[in-house]
Amino acid sequence: MIKMFGQGDSEIAKYFYSLFQPQDAVLAEIRERSDKAKIPSIHVCEADGLHLEILVRFQGAKKVVEIGTLAGYSGVCIARALPSDGKLYTFEMTPLHADVARESFRRAGVADKIELFVGPALENLKKIESEGPFDLVFIDADKINYPHYIEWAYRNLKVGGAVLADNVFAWGYIVDSRTPPPENAAAARELRVFNNLIATDKRWRSTILPTGEGLAVAIKVG
Ligand code: SAH
Ligand code: DHB
Ligand code: MG
């Protein structure tokens, strides 16, 4: 018998949220300001923001890369986990998102730990390669490029370095028997490529934490 993967239990969720209170006023304000700027509300959820902070602390990471900044919500969570001499390099395609994120970093008091690059991530990532090797890479931008982002991460992480990747359940369409609507087809296909790679390639040792979206955790082992 296959046991449940994640609880899907709203009473347990309520218990967690009321006890741990994962979203403080600074993070709540980012969501509000982002809505006012008409930016899509696709930030990590409150719980995953805390998961990111804890995982970055767990890794003892000092040099972190984020692909997909949006309004800076996850970036603030990551930056809070960094020591004062730590650095987050974050990559965002859309100038409006980048402007809102810059303000988020300033208000959260973490701007001095963050460098933001605006433009297609695959182009801009080249600019930081000389700063590597990195301790952790968080992938959360265009899903069709996840296979490219993990190859970049492999080349630029230390051995023992970690990849975190959001949305690897592809909104449920990751399951082979589910045919995604046309607008999600390419994303679901490339997320399967990504998951197959981290699960089977001997250079990685990996799991998927059963968050609502599916949070992949992959360690570079070879
Ligand atoms: N990590 C954010 C959410 C990211 S949403 C958070 O949880 O707060 C995905 C973001 O990736 C969007 O802002 C989108 O504009 C950006 N994006 C999409 N394609 C991209 C690309 N090729 N390069 C860089 N950013 C990209
Ligand atoms: C989308 C992207 C995300 O990173 C996410 O967490 C949710 C939705 C999207 O492109 O629709
Ligand atoms: Mg996401």
Side-chain angles (χ1 to χ4, degrees), residues 42-44 140 143 146 166-167:
I42 55 173
H43 330 269
V44 291
D140 193 21
K143 310 310 163 198
Y146 273 36
D166 193 31
N167 309 108

Side-chain angles (χ1 to χ4, degrees), residues 15-17 34 42 44 110 118 124 188 194 207 222:
Y15 164 82
F16 168 79
Y17 276 100
S34 178
I42 55 173
V44 291
V110 293
V118 185
N124 280 339
F194 176 90
T207 189

Side-chain angles (χ1 to χ4, degrees), residues 193-215:
V193 170
F194 176 90
N195 289 341
N196 289 346
L197 182 113
I198 62 166
T200 61
D201 190 309
K202 296 299 177 219
R203 298 177 299 163
W204 299 99
R205 186 74 179 148
S206 314
T207 189
I208 298 176
L209 300 182
T211 60
E213 297 290 337
L215 182 65

Side-chain angles (χ1 to χ4, degrees), residues 42-44 66 68-70 73-74 91-94 97 119-121 138 140-142 149:
I42 55 173
H43 330 269
V44 291
E66 174 181 65
T69 317
L70 195 68
Y73 190 98
S74 55
F91 294 81
E92 175 52 53
M93 171 89 104
T94 307
H97 301 181
F138 173 49
D140 193 21
D142 48 331
Y149 296 142

